[in-house]
Structure formats: C-alpha cells, structure tokens
Amino acid sequence: MKILSSSPIARAFLLLGLALALQACQPSEEASCDQLLGEGKYNDVLAQCDNPADRASAYLGLAGFDFVALAESTAPPGDIVALLGLTADNITEKRQLLEQATSEVRVPGSGAQASALLLSAFLGLAVIVAEFLDNGGGVVGGATALDDVVDESEIVEATGITTGVAAALQFSPAAPFYFQVVSGGTAYTLLCLDFTVPICDNDPVGTVQVFDDG
C-alpha cells in the first residue's frame, strides 16, 4: 500500500507553501521577521516574533520544510521522507515541531495563518503515518522503515492487530467472507458483505460488520 505518493497531495504542498511565501512578500511591519525567515534563522524568529504565522513558519522550517527545495525536488511526488529529510533518529522531533506549528495557528486569524495551519496539518499527518506505520517492524516480508511503503507486518507491529485464517469461506463469488482478527487479546469476526479480500480491503463504507467473539 503506497502512502502519500499521489500528485494531488504534492500539489497541495506546493500551493500552500506558495501562499505562505507570497504572504511574506507583502509589505508589513514585520519585515524583520520576514527577513529572519528568509535567512533561515528560525530560532531567532521564535525568540523575537509574535505573529502566529511567522512562528508557525519557523517551526515548519525547523522541521525541514523548505518551499524552494520542494519546488526543485526530484523526489517522487508526496515523498514525505525525502521532503523533510526524515530518519529514524529525527522523525519524532520533527513530528513534535510540526505539532507546535499547528498549535501556533490552531485558531487562524488571517489568510497567512490559515495557510500555515493547512500546511502544518498536512505535513504533520504525513509524518505521523510515516513514524507509526512505516516503522520497519515485523520480520515477515522484510519490511524497511521509512521507505514510503507500508507493509502488513508494519501495521501489525504498530496496531497489535493480527489477521487470522478465514473463519469460514463461501466459494460462491456472491457470498460473504468471514475473517477473524485479534486486537488486544480479543478476537473479532469481520463479515465482508462483498467478495473482496484481504480483510475487506477498499470496501465501500457499510460493507463490513464486526462481531465480538469474546
């Protein structure tokens, strides 16, 4: 399952980053803060500037977001690992920085703040997915951490949900499938109301029923 590798998301990053960049170009009383941001002096921005949009932009910068680098990047569209330079050693810190950026503009009072909120929320969600699901956990399948691919063994490692052999199989394509999953030591049966496997993957809403076997 490919995570965040679609061009619409990449275009969203570009558009939101451009909105912030254009806002910084407007005449304002915070020219010094804009200059500090342009020079990449993000810690100075946090120490000297009060505007939530400036502060959110500084946290985004500390997390590795660079609009110019994004525009010039040759990485696959939406590759959050390449975009922010994520590694196993820095991903938690960068997630926390993105959370701080979001917190600064959680109640946006201007267009710039709203743009910063959307951008930090987009990036923050992507990093959360990468950190907790693209984790390299599990032995089966030889999963690799932060490779922009989430394997089933990584999902099992992150959630504790394991999939078992189908409790009952109906051989008619029109008949439902029954699967058993175990979460937190409790067994559940999933009833897939259409003929789609595994575990009702990509089913429309309303085609899966869950029963507690405990």
Side-chain angles (χ1 to χ4, degrees):
M1 176 173 62
K2 199 71 171 169
I3 298 295
L4 295 176
S5 60
S6 62
S7 56
I9 291 179
R11 286 196 294 270
F13 288 156
L14 285 168
L15 291 173
L16 290 170
L18 180 59
L20 287 176
L22 291 176
Q23 182 71 24
C25 294
Q26 301 300 317
S28 72
E29 297 178 357
E30 297 192 4
S32 59
C33 293
D34 291 340
Q35 182 176 352
L36 289 173
L37 284 170
E39 294 173 352
K41 298 179 179 179
Y42 304 124
N43 286 314
D44 290 344
V45 172
L46 295 176
Q48 302 175 28
C49 304
D50 296 325
N51 187 304
D54 293 334
R55 296 180 61 81
S57 296
Y59 281 120
L60 285 167
L62 289 172
F65 180 80
D66 185 323
F67 173 69
V68 175
L70 172 62
E72 297 178 350
S73 175
T74 59
D79 184 348
I80 195 68
V81 175
L83 175 64
L84 297 182
L86 299 179
T87 68
D89 292 330
N90 68 25
I91 190 169
T92 298
E93 178 185 2
K94 293 200 173 191
R95 171 177 54 79
Q96 293 170 344
L97 288 167
L98 292 169
E99 290 171 354
Q100 289 176 290
T102 302
S103 179
E104 289 287 346
V105 288
R106 62 187 180 278
V107 183
S110 67
Q113 292 178 33
S115 296
L117 176 59
L118 289 172
L119 181 58
S120 59
F122 261 120
L123 293 171
L125 177 60
V127 172
I128 288 172
V129 171
E131 180 178 10
F132 291 105
L133 290 185
D134 194 3
N135 54 53
V139 177
V140 177
T144 301
L146 302 180
D147 62 351
D148 200 32
V149 176
V150 174
D151 294 335
E152 182 176 354
S153 61
E154 292 175 304
I155 295 174
V156 170
E157 179 74 14
T159 65
I161 294 177
T162 59
T163 60
V165 177
L169 294 181
Q170 305 292 333
F171 293 99
S172 169
F177 264 58
Y178 296 84
F179 289 88
Q180 185 182 72
V181 300
V182 178
S183 178
T186 301
Y188 298 88
T189 292
L190 302 183
L191 170 59
C192 305
L193 301 181
D194 69 0
F195 198 76
T196 307
V197 292
I199 314 304
C200 313
D201 191 29
N202 296 323
D203 278 357
V205 174
T207 62
V208 181
Q209 296 178 5
V210 180
F211 301 91
D212 185 346
D213 292 345

